[in-house]
């Protein structure tokens, strides 16, 4: 009798790696997970460990710390009384945060592209006929990627958490709600094949 190989927990593999990168082979017959909802993305921002869509939610959860680092660095750079050493450290933090955010956007967008590619392969396996010319032109390409939208959501989330003590007026909360609604529509349109992220 063959025993299943033991799978390490999420702490055993580097952040941002999918199951396929960690050595777990996903069978071809396994259905492609849908894109995570905005609620799942917000839960990742809050520090909840995702049980599904980890290829997107794990890097999305890391956005919050990067956005906090970015905001704090900007605050130091805007101070008139900051020393040269503080300015230098803040500039380095700012560059590091921006670099990390761009890398996380790329990781998420590559995961989305992998999902769409696998879905196309699955559709061709079920329906092998060649698609007619011109059908791809009917699909609208969005101006922002899933990773870019998740980064903006994390920025609003982080600013909202930073201002949580001042409950008089939080425009970030309204902006985040609107962005979440827009993300959910975008994710549904990607799932239905009516819209594509840029670069695909």
């Amino acid at each position: 009798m063959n025993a299943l190989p033991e799978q390490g927990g999420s702490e055993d593999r580097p952040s941002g790696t999918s199951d396929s990168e960690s050595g777990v082979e996903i069978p071809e017959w396994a259905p492609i997970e849908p894109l995570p909802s905005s609620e799942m993305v917000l839960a990742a921002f809050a520090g909840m460990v995702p049980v599904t869509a980890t290829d997107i939610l794990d890097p999305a959860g890391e956005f919050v710390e990067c956005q906090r680092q970015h905001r704090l660095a900007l605050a130091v750079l805007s101070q008139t009384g900051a020393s040269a050493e503080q300015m230098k450290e803040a500039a380095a933090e700012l560059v590091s945060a921006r670099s990390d955010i761009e890398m996380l956007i790329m990781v998420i967008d590559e995961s989305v592209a992998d999902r769409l590619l696998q879905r196309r392969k699955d559709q061709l396996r079920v329906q092998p006929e060649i698609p007619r010319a011109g059908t791809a032109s009917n699909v609208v390409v969005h101006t922002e990627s899933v990773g870019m939208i998740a980064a903006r959501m994390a920025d609003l989330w982080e600013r909202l958490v930073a201002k949580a003590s001042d409950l008089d007026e939080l425009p970030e909360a309204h902006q985040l709600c609107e962005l979440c609604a827009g993300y959910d529509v975008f994710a549904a349109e990607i799932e239905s094949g009516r819209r594509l992220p840029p670069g695909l």
Side-chain angles (χ1 to χ4, degrees):
M1 187 159 89
N2 292 336
L4 291 173
E6 288 186 19
Q7 296 179 6
S10 60
E11 63 275 0
D12 294 339
R13 59 181 179 198
S15 63
T17 59
S18 65
D19 288 340
S20 60
E21 292 171 334
S22 64
V24 177
E25 189 65 32
I26 299 174
E28 285 188 15
W29 52 263
I32 304 297
E33 288 179 307
L35 291 171
S37 67
S38 61
E39 288 181 19
M40 295 167 73
V41 176
L42 294 180
F45 293 163
M48 296 180 72
V49 178
V51 295
T52 185
T54 55
D55 58 333
I56 293 173
L57 294 176
D58 281 344
E62 294 178 32
F63 272 133
V64 176
E65 181 57 31
C66 295
Q67 295 289 10
R68 186 182 78 78
Q69 179 184 357
H70 188 271
R71 179 182 57 81
L72 292 175
L74 276 179
V76 171
L77 290 171
S78 64
Q79 290 175 0
T80 54
S83 69
E85 187 61 32
Q86 289 174 322
M87 298 284 272
K88 184 178 177 182
E89 286 179 19
E93 288 286 315
L94 188 70
V95 170
S96 174
R98 286 184 177 170
S99 175
D100 289 346
I101 290 167
E102 288 174 10
M103 186 267 304
L104 291 170
I105 289 172
M106 185 181 68
V107 168
I108 291 172
D109 292 344
E110 285 177 356
S111 293
V112 172
D114 290 345
R115 286 166 176 249
L116 293 176
L117 180 62
Q118 185 60 46
R119 188 166 293 139
R120 286 184 195 143
K121 287 180 182 177
D122 292 347
Q123 289 170 347
L124 285 174
R125 205 171 23 249
V126 173
Q127 223 172 10
E129 63 266 7
I130 301 169
R132 291 172 305 192
T135 54
S137 63
N138 297 332
V139 179
V140 178
V141 178
H142 201 268
T143 56
E144 282 187 296
S145 69
V146 172
M148 291 174 182
I149 295 171
R152 287 203 299 132
M153 289 168 67
D155 178 44
L156 288 168
W157 172 274
E158 199 284 323
R159 285 193 277 151
L160 190 59
V161 169
K163 291 182 175 181
S165 58
D166 181 17
L167 297 175
D168 291 339
E169 187 177 338
L170 293 174
E172 290 85 359
H174 300 292
Q175 294 168 6
L176 183 57
C177 288
E178 290 174 0
L179 188 55
C180 285
Y183 166 83
D184 285 332
V185 170
F186 179 40
E189 289 178 335
I190 290 174
E191 292 297 334
S192 66
R194 289 177 294 163
R195 194 174 290 264
L196 284 174
L200 295 177

